[in-house]
Amino acid sequence: MSIFTFHDLLTHNLTSRAEQTAVIDGERQVSYRELSDQVDALSTWLVEHNVNAGDRVGIYLRKSIEEVVATIAVARVGAVFVNINVQWKLSQLEYVINNCAIKTLIIDGRGARELRTSNVLSRLDNIIVKGSSSSHPKYTAWQDSLAKTSVIDRPVINTGLAALLYTSGSTGQPKGVMLSHLNLLEGARSVAKYLNNESSDRVLSVLPFSFDYGLSQLTTMFLVGGTIVLQPTFMPSEIVKTLVEKNVTGMPAVPPTWVQLAQYLQVQNIEFPRLRYLTNTGGKIPDNVLELLPDLFGQPEIFLMYGLTEAFRSTYLPPDMFNCKRGSIGRAIPNAGVYVVDHEKGVCGPGEQGELLHAGSLVSQGYWGNPEVTAEKFRVCHHLENVLGEQKVVYSGDLVRIDEDGYLWFVSRLDSMIKCSGFRISPTEVEDAVSASYMVTDVVSYGVEDRELGQVVHVAVTPRDSSDFNLDVLRRYCQKHMPSYMQPRTIHVWDGSMPRTSSGKLDRPLIIKLATDESAE
Amino acid sequence: MTFNREAMLTYLSDELGVDIEDINDDTLLFTDGYLDSFSVVDLVTYLESSANISISPSEVNLDNLDSVGRIITFVDVKTQ
């Protein structure tokens, strides 16, 4: 059958391999047929509870079979799945619910208990709860949402919206990147092609579905009829145990996980006879760790990748180039147009550097509810008009260099966006969260290089009342209200008011320089 | 520093932001998402210094660390 929509990724497997294992979740597993039955049941519930085509449905679940069922069922009824990282705290969940007007939420018991005290509860119509929670008129138990199945007549087309993936930019709060069914399918086709995925593959899913590359493990495996092996915890010993016990053939991760796994495997002697490949994305692995990976994992193929949520995936370094181009982000993935442009001189050639631009069918539909920022980030590049005409491209904000053989190397960001552990963080997001403590007046946040995490967040703050200011209280406030990767590793307490520019704005570059000089002393 | 249940609960609450009203000795801290990957290193460092023990990488697993009960048992065995 032809695969046009996200739901087709599941159903095309029912003709030839319905009994094949689709998802392994610890001791539980489901076949494609069992998964499809659950998806049909949940889709029925969604239709009966007035979830219409285009409605956003929030999914705030730990990695589980239920998260897979929920994601596909939402797409099945033409609604838009919004998977929210479970590392996010209640305040980020509330932000997403408000930002894209979520009316239906699927959540675990712990989240449901927290939500009872939140004022967003009044904005939601229906909440499906997986796991125990006290009852509430709006709450439906997961099991009850699967109680019956009826035929669903709800046509879905491939240019329709399928997903919002929330990610940050250089300013402001996280934005929902709008992906169509076509974006997700073309992404899966491209990635599965260069990874040579097939139905015998078992791929580890340790990255969240709220992250484009995490979602790609699901789409690529279902495209080829393989098996996705869920790994909800990041501990190196647990990841290694799953790789061995579940005969995993492909392992995708981000740099901090490789650093920790390498440390762990250097003192263990573990073999991975079934592991065929590793993939990295979300930043650069430190070279002294990267060079160890082939030996530690039994000489698998290693694919180094680069992508941005706005265009799903962009480049990869083929494994046969690993030794001679180690650390490069490679070249365009199949069916993606990747260009390097110097905005004054035009398209770059070997030896030159410029901004990476991405064109083609993986380019997303922009940011939810934010046409101004969409217009800035997605636009026509006049240097490319002879190739692309009036087609819009995504401006990555990443400066890359082309080497003499045409391979790309990441150089730096062109803006102040912070990237920690593969997560994008805007300084404004951190500053707003810290300001919400009402303990500070001025706040400036910035990224500081970190070997393991890429960058970590630091902030400089001016206390609102210096006689009553307690740094520990501010740190605890951040722990409670911000996801771990966003929490400042260092808080510089500024003595007196911060320097300002002639127009009265905070002089950010100077403040950052003074704060970093101080910590270097 | 000394290691005991009360001190550890204070640590989980004050340093790792766990709502200790919402957990008991059997609550799965990592599996159910009360703690995330960033907290592992901090927790291990805390246990090593407060209980004066050394924890090897292979001991950093869910069997030993996923709940308050498991952590107490693990530290008890290590200090015997």
Side-chain angles (χ1 to χ4, degrees):
Chain A
M1 66 175 271
S2 300
I3 303 172
F4 292 119
T5 68
F6 193 82
H7 179 241
D8 293 341
L9 284 170
L10 167 62
T11 54
H12 86 101
N13 290 295
L14 298 177
T15 44
S16 59
R17 53 176 89 86
E19 302 310 321
Q20 155 121 347
T21 304
V23 186
I24 296 176
D25 176 8
E27 298 309 309
R28 302 191 298 160
Q29 58 180 56
V30 286
S31 67
Y32 279 105
R33 184 183 50 74
E34 290 165 332
L35 190 65
S36 178
D37 289 348
Q38 292 187 37
V39 166
D40 287 348
L42 183 60
S43 304
T44 302
W45 187 95
L46 292 170
V47 169
E48 290 187 348
H49 288 78
N50 302 315
V51 173
N52 296 311
D55 287 357
R56 280 75 55 211
V57 176
I59 302 172
Y60 186 62
L61 293 175
R62 301 273 301 157
K63 240 177 214 308
S64 54
I65 291 169
E66 289 78 5
E67 190 194 13
V68 177
V69 171
T71 304
I72 303 174
V74 170
R76 165 73 187 93
V77 302
V80 180
F81 56 81
V82 188
N83 294 55
I84 300 148
N85 190 333
V86 286
Q87 281 184 282
W88 283 20
K89 302 286 169 84
L90 183 63
S91 46
Q92 285 87 37
L93 173 68
E94 291 169 338
Y95 166 78
V96 173
I97 290 171
N98 287 326
N99 184 258
C100 66
I102 286 172
K103 297 281 180 208
T104 303
L105 181 66
I106 306 174
I107 192 167
D108 61 22
R110 182 179 154 235
R113 289 195 293 280
E114 277 192 46
L115 196 64
R116 290 188 65 106
T117 59
S118 165
N119 55 18
V120 293
L121 191 55
S122 61
R123 294 170 175 241
L124 295 163
D125 293 337
N126 283 295
I127 298 142
I128 298 176
V129 182
K130 180 206 161 205
S132 61
S133 172
S134 49
S135 66
H136 184 278
K138 291 183 179 181
Y139 287 8
T140 299
W142 173 264
Q143 282 313 321
D144 296 339
S145 72
L146 302 184
K148 65 172 181 172
T149 300
S150 54
V151 176
I152 294 161
D153 180 22
R154 183 73 74 83
V156 179
I157 60 167
N158 69 354
T159 51
L161 272 194
L164 296 187
L165 301 187
Y166 273 80
T167 187
S168 295
S170 55
T171 58
Q173 292 296 313
K175 297 164 193 63
V177 174
M178 301 186 284
L179 294 165
S180 66
H181 291 263
L182 185 68
N183 290 145
L184 292 168
L185 260 60
E186 290 302 322
R189 288 187 177 109
S190 180
V191 174
K193 180 169 171 54
Y194 68 80
L195 294 179
N196 299 308
N197 283 131
E198 44 187 72
S199 62
S200 57
D201 270 325
R202 287 182 159 206
V203 168
L204 194 78
S205 170
V206 67
L207 302 169
F209 293 156
S210 54
F211 173 41
D212 58 290
Y213 193 54
L215 190 56
S216 165
Q217 276 88 67
L218 178 65
T219 56
T220 51
M221 279 303 96
F222 282 24
L223 178 71
V224 301
T227 304
I228 180 165
V229 180
L230 305 179
Q231 173 62 42
T233 52
F234 277 83
M235 276 180 204
S237 62
E238 299 295 330
I239 292 175
V240 166
K241 193 168 138 194
T242 304
L243 291 176
V244 174
E245 287 180 2
K246 308 296 183 196
N247 293 315
V248 168
T249 61
M251 153 106 196
V254 291
T257 308
W258 296 119
V259 174
Q260 290 178 7
L261 279 170
Q263 281 167 356
Y264 178 73
L265 291 171
Q266 280 179 286
V267 291
Q268 309 287 317
N269 186 18
I270 295 168
E271 292 188 3
F272 303 95
R274 299 289 301 278
L275 194 60
R276 180 169 72 77
Y277 69 86
L278 313 178
T279 68
N280 176 65
T281 192
K284 202 170 172 180
I285 303 174
D287 193 60
N288 58 350
V289 172
L290 192 53
E291 68 179 354
L292 297 174
L293 294 184
D295 285 343
L296 292 176
F297 285 93
Q299 309 300 328
E301 293 189 311
I302 299 180
F303 296 80
L304 303 179
M305 308 182 171
Y306 162 91
L308 63 162
T309 311
E310 287 83 351
F312 204 64
R313 302 273 89 210
S314 298
T315 68
Y316 82 109
L317 181 71
D320 57 354
M321 301 304 289
F322 180 80
N323 286 327
C324 58
K325 299 287 181 192
R326 197 170 73 206
S328 160
I329 60 170
R331 307 169 94 149
I333 62 170
N335 199 28
V338 172
Y339 305 91
V340 180
V341 173
D342 177 315
H343 298 304
E344 284 174 7
K345 295 183 199 155
V347 178
C348 298
E352 296 177 324
Q353 63 182 40
E355 184 174 3
L356 186 145
L357 311 184
H358 182 129
S361 55
L362 303 192
V363 173
S364 66
Q365 313 304 304
Y367 301 112
W368 176 266
N370 207 333
E372 299 83 14
V373 184
T374 300
E376 272 173 38
K377 193 89 180 169
F378 300 76
R379 55 195 155 88
V380 174
C381 172
H382 68 89
H383 294 299
L384 295 171
E385 274 170 341
N386 62 332
V387 204
L388 297 172
E390 293 294 304
Q391 204 183 120
K392 287 178 181 166
V393 303
V394 185
Y395 283 67
S396 69
D398 287 326
L399 186 66
V400 300
R401 177 174 61 82
I402 310 178
D403 72 14
E404 62 282 9
D405 301 314
Y407 287 84
L408 306 181
W409 299 75
F410 178 82
V411 177
S412 67
R413 283 293 300 173
L414 289 162
D415 57 27
S416 55
M417 189 179 86
I418 305 167
K419 201 157 183 188
C420 173
S421 190
F423 291 101
R424 289 160 44 167
I425 305 165
S426 86
T428 343
E429 204 178 347
V430 177
E431 289 157 12
D432 287 354
V434 174
S435 295
S437 69
Y438 293 106
M439 294 172 60
V440 299
T441 47
D442 296 335
V443 194
V444 170
S445 86
Y446 51 95
V448 172
E449 300 309 306
D450 181 86
R451 180 182 172 271
E452 193 171 319
L453 299 169
Q455 287 181 302
V456 291
V457 175
H458 284 204
V459 296
V461 301
T462 303
R464 184 172 293 275
D465 176 358
S466 54
S467 62
D468 193 32
F469 180 75
N470 183 327
L471 189 57
D472 282 337
V473 177
L474 181 59
R475 272 200 308 114
R476 282 175 209 156
Y477 177 88
C478 294
Q479 277 157 2
K480 189 167 167 53
H481 295 280
M482 299 161 84
S484 305
Y485 64 86
M486 202 192 289
Q487 292 167 13
R489 290 295 185 275
T490 303
I491 300 175
H492 300 272
V493 181
W494 202 274
D495 196 12
S497 74
M498 291 187 186
R500 281 169 157 76
T501 63
S502 54
S503 62
K505 288 184 187 166
L506 288 171
D507 187 345
R508 301 180 60 93
L510 179 63
I511 293 163
I512 293 168
K513 183 177 181 305
L514 293 172
T516 42
D517 286 353
E518 186 192 315
S519 56
E521 277 167 14
Chain B
M1 256 198 297
T2 50
F3 177 82
N4 57 48
R5 176 192 309 263
E6 207 174 316
M8 184 172 65
L9 287 174
T10 306
Y11 171 79
L12 288 175
S13 165
D14 288 356
E15 302 298 324
L16 300 181
V18 176
D19 178 3
I20 53 172
E21 300 292 308
D22 197 33
I23 64 167
N24 58 42
D25 269 14
D26 300 324
T27 304
L28 300 178
L29 300 170
F30 289 98
T31 302
D32 286 343
Y34 289 86
L35 294 177
D36 63 25
S37 55
F38 285 78
S39 311
V40 180
V41 178
D42 291 343
L43 178 63
V44 168
T45 309
Y46 165 74
L47 294 176
E48 288 187 325
S49 66
S50 67
N52 196 22
I53 53 174
S54 169
I55 301 175
S56 74
S58 60
E59 290 172 320
V60 181
N61 58 44
L62 296 177
D63 287 345
N64 291 336
L65 302 177
D66 207 13
S67 69
V68 170
R70 289 182 198 184
I71 295 171
I72 289 170
T73 309
F74 170 65
V75 172
D76 276 352
V77 172
K78 293 278 288 183
T79 48
Q80 262 168 21

